[in-house]
Amino acid sequence: MNSPVPCLQDGFTRPLGNLENFFKLLAKKGKPLKREHWTVHLALCLQFPGIIADPVPYLRRAWQVLRLQHPTLGATLQSSNDIAQPAPSRLIAGPLNLGDWANQTFVVYDEVACADQLFPNLLSTPTATCYWLPKSSELVIKSSHRRTDGVGMALLGRHFMLALSGTIRSGHDCPLEVLVPNIGKEPSVPQASSITTIEVSTACRNRGIKVTSAVHAAIVRVTANFPQHPLSKSYTAFVPVDLRLATARTAASDAKIVSEATGVYFSGLPLCISSVLPEDGKPREEFEAIARELGAVYARDLNHFWTPPGSAGQTISLLDLVEPYVR
């Protein structure tokens, strides 16, 4: 049985930003079905040492640590009901009792076979949630997109694994202060990685291309194999751009911003790759050429992103463009 945990944190409140409000509007599309549009999920397949007969207390404790590190995970949305004078939506989190919060947001599904079976059955929830599936040994974290983005969810997964490794090492009943890592002093995590992942990253490195560019290039090539409109000539998409590194360069504490897992720290920029489809009997562009073209887009300097006409070479940071662009 988990010992009671006292209130460890005062509440907070803040208004939603422009991009958060955008995703809030998108999420409403699923309300009639009790779903949330553009929800972000992460599934982790875990293996535990043989000495741990029941991993649930360790997983639950790691989830509590994650909540302490990222208070927004437990914040709920409050919208104005006054139609005449609507107030901006706000995130609100009351004083925290970690035991109660874990009881409400950490769920064990003994009968669900795997994460793929769980995904279509999850309804919308007011906060982020965590699910343990003993049959497949999978842990699923689910969050609204207005609360985090794809990179943020990957960081949440990393922070969860750090918390879990600390919990296994120190015990699930040890003081929380021991389990919450200090900045720059993160505990070690298991380093075993998928052989396939290693092979892909090694192949990309040998060819001088980034894994991100290679994955996107594969998507482009696969998409081009499907039937297209007769006028189609190019691949176009909006590329999500992670703003954390650009933000860190203008902040006093780089480490805190770069590792921030909650919050929406990205923007979407238009991308066009030409010569993807065969034209007049000419072969389409090769995979590596597409990957390098994508790499050039991803490698743009976000702090010197745009040179306005007639600006005498003075550049504008993407950070200065995000707010008016979203509006």
Side-chain angles (χ1 to χ4, degrees):
M1 177 179 292
N2 289 304
S3 58
V5 181
C7 295
L8 298 173
Q9 173 189 305
D10 295 331
F12 73 90
T13 179
R14 68 165 176 82
L16 292 185
N18 280 335
L19 197 54
E20 290 173 316
N21 270 313
F22 172 68
F23 284 118
K24 170 178 168 284
L25 292 174
L26 288 178
K28 283 185 176 180
K29 301 296 183 182
K31 257 193 170 181
L33 301 174
K34 297 183 180 180
R35 305 302 173 98
E36 189 169 11
H37 195 45
W38 281 34
T39 304
V40 186
H41 300 83
L42 174 70
L44 302 170
C45 188
L46 306 178
Q47 292 181 340
F48 290 88
I51 59 172
I52 297 180
D54 181 12
V56 170
Y58 298 89
L59 296 166
R60 176 186 165 95
R61 195 61 158 176
W63 179 240
Q64 290 176 326
V65 172
L66 206 64
R67 170 63 177 82
L68 283 178
Q69 290 178 288
H70 305 285
T72 307
L73 290 176
T76 58
L77 190 63
Q78 184 180 76
S79 300
S80 171
N81 294 321
D82 189 341
I83 300 177
Q85 293 181 326
S89 298
R90 301 184 68 86
L91 281 180
I92 295 180
L96 172 63
N97 184 297
L98 274 177
D100 290 345
W101 184 77
N103 289 339
Q104 296 166 7
T105 61
F106 181 84
V107 183
V108 178
Y109 280 118
D110 292 305
E111 301 304 318
V112 177
C114 63
D116 288 342
Q117 187 182 99
L118 177 69
F119 290 148
N121 297 306
L122 293 178
L123 303 179
S124 60
T125 54
T127 68
T129 46
C130 185
Y131 308 93
W132 172 240
L133 312 180
K135 282 192 173 181
S136 60
S137 195
E138 288 177 297
L139 182 115
V140 176
I141 299 176
K142 168 180 169 288
S143 174
S144 167
H145 201 345
R146 62 172 170 75
R147 186 178 290 108
T148 189
D149 51 36
V151 173
M153 183 58 85
L155 288 171
L156 280 175
R158 169 179 165 76
H159 294 174
F160 182 88
M161 292 302 294
L162 289 169
L164 182 59
S165 65
T167 303
I168 292 173
R169 183 174 55 252
S170 303
H172 61 79
D173 54 353
C174 77
L176 282 163
E177 292 76 12
V178 176
L179 299 176
V180 178
N182 296 320
I183 293 175
K185 293 183 179 181
E186 294 181 334
S188 61
V189 293
Q191 297 300 310
S193 181
S194 167
I195 294 177
T196 301
T197 301
I198 295 173
E199 289 176 344
V200 169
S201 61
T202 301
C204 290
R205 185 163 55 249
N206 291 340
R207 288 168 172 78
I209 58 178
K210 301 289 187 181
V211 173
T212 304
S213 303
V215 171
H216 200 165
I219 293 173
V220 173
R221 290 294 298 269
V222 170
T223 304
N225 287 328
F226 286 88
Q228 306 292 333
H229 189 280
L231 298 180
S232 296
K233 302 296 180 185
S234 307
Y235 171 88
T236 60
F238 275 92
V239 178
V241 178
D242 184 14
L243 301 176
R244 288 171 177 80
L245 290 174
T247 305
R249 293 178 189 136
T250 63
S253 176
D254 290 9
K256 182 178 187 305
I257 300 296
V258 172
S259 65
E260 189 59 56
T262 55
V264 186
Y265 289 92
F266 81 95
S267 184
L269 297 176
L271 164 77
C272 180
I273 303 295
S274 60
S275 305
V276 174
L277 299 174
E279 183 178 6
D280 299 331
K282 298 178 182 178
R284 62 185 180 181
E285 197 165 3
E286 293 299 322
F287 170 83
E288 287 194 28
I290 296 174
R292 296 185 193 286
E293 193 169 347
L294 289 165
V297 175
Y298 284 122
R300 291 181 66 178
D301 187 342
L302 302 185
N303 291 95
H304 302 280
F305 189 77
W306 182 49
T307 304
S311 63
Q314 292 186 338
T315 59
I316 296 179
S317 168
L318 181 59
L319 297 177
D320 297 322
L321 298 175
V322 168
E323 282 293 313
Y325 170 62
V326 172
R327 285 197 297 268

